[in-house]
Amino acid sequence: AYGIVPADAMETRRVAGRIVPAMITTTALVSSLSCLELVKVLKGLPLKLHRNAFVNLALPFFAFTAPLPAEEIAGVNGKTHTIWDRIVIKGSSKSPVESMTLRKFLSKVQKKASCGDEFEIANLSFGPFMIYANFLHSHDDELLDTPLIDIVKDAIISGDDGEDEMFSGDDANKDESVNNMTDEQMAALKKLKEKRFIDFSVMVESQETGEEFELPPIRLMNSEK
């Protein structure tokens, strides 16, 4: 299945013999250094106590440098965030994730991100799929009142990253897309069902200046997982 050519006992011993020296030298050192950094992470130590390691055992050469902090990205109201930040959205007993509409989700995002009335959500994307765009869907009550999970599934089934086909509302086209799904699309739907969360990309727009800002990835937690 993996395209590995079968080998006899002697060939296996030859290959394994070459692997063992690497495992007890470079691999062992790299693993040890990684574990040391993991301990620092678990203890919550500051970034200045962490180290990048550059090693060449053949020379030998060992160099350690302090890592740089993550680049800050400009956000709304003068705030900044990094690629490691997330805005987490969870369901509730009144609004479980499975039935949370796009309208409710956008409202929660705006509140969590502290955007206020002076900012409007410009677009919402899931991977390559544009789920929502204010210039197209701000008055589309049918879309806004559809559960977000269903919209994501429709996007995957359609296999089209353009919004015209995704939100056409044509049941015949939708049924045809379901019947013609590729293995890749079916795998994506299965993965979506099994994941504990879904990440979305969101841009907001200042209603006063029209300037756009990117929010940290919006993570929707799956209440069933």
Side-chain angles (χ1 to χ4, degrees):
Y2 294 95
I4 300 175
V5 179
D8 57 29
M10 290 301 295
E11 178 67 12
T12 302
R13 291 194 187 97
R14 186 184 69 81
V15 173
R18 291 180 177 179
I19 291 175
V20 171
M23 290 179 61
I24 62 176
T25 52
T26 307
T27 303
L29 178 59
V30 171
S31 300
S32 302
L33 292 173
S34 300
C35 288
L36 286 175
E37 296 306 309
L38 180 59
V39 171
K40 296 177 186 179
V41 171
L42 294 175
K43 294 184 69 175
L45 298 181
L47 184 65
K48 64 181 181 180
L49 296 180
H50 289 262
R51 289 294 180 268
N52 293 321
F54 302 89
V55 178
N56 188 328
L57 295 182
L59 295 178
F61 173 79
F62 302 87
F64 297 89
T65 62
L68 295 174
E71 181 182 356
E72 294 189 342
I73 303 169
V76 298
N77 297 323
K79 296 179 181 179
T80 60
H81 62 273
T82 72
I83 59 172
W84 302 108
D85 292 318
R86 297 289 184 274
I87 295 177
V88 179
I89 304 292
K90 297 181 179 179
S92 63
S93 56
K94 293 183 179 179
S95 179
V97 170
E98 297 75 21
S99 59
M100 185 184 296
T101 64
L102 175 59
R103 190 192 305 274
K104 184 69 174 179
F105 179 77
L106 295 178
S107 175
K108 282 178 174 285
V109 170
Q110 200 148 358
K111 184 178 180 180
K112 277 269 191 176
S114 303
C115 291
D117 295 333
E118 61 269 24
F119 289 94
E120 178 185 12
I121 293 181
N123 58 68
L124 169 71
S125 301
F126 168 70
F129 304 107
M130 180 75 74
I131 301 297
Y132 169 85
N134 60 345
F135 62 90
L136 287 172
H137 310 120
S138 60
H139 301 293
D140 188 344
D141 291 333
E142 182 180 356
L143 176 67
L144 291 170
D145 293 330
T146 301
L148 178 60
I149 298 297
D150 290 347
I151 299 175
V152 172
K153 290 178 180 177
D154 288 345
I156 294 173
I157 292 171
S158 72
D160 193 309
D161 56 6
E163 58 278 343
D164 293 340
E165 182 177 335
M166 282 171 51
F167 307 118
S168 64
D170 191 329
D171 292 335
N173 287 340
K174 185 181 296 185
D175 291 340
E176 184 179 351
S177 296
V178 171
N179 294 331
N180 295 328
M181 276 199 303
T182 64
D183 292 340
E184 187 176 328
Q185 288 171 311
M186 288 188 287
L189 285 176
K190 182 180 179 181
K191 185 177 180 181
L192 180 69
K193 186 177 181 180
E194 295 173 347
K195 288 189 68 173
R196 294 189 300 110
F197 58 82
I198 308 173
D199 283 343
F200 296 91
S201 300
V202 176
M203 297 287 293
V204 296
E205 180 182 9
S206 170
Q207 302 208 52
E208 182 178 346
T209 64
E211 187 177 3
E212 290 189 345
F213 299 92
E214 182 180 3
L215 295 181
I218 309 298
R219 176 160 291 179
L220 177 64
M221 303 302 297
N222 191 336
S223 56
E224 291 185 349
K225 301 295 184 293

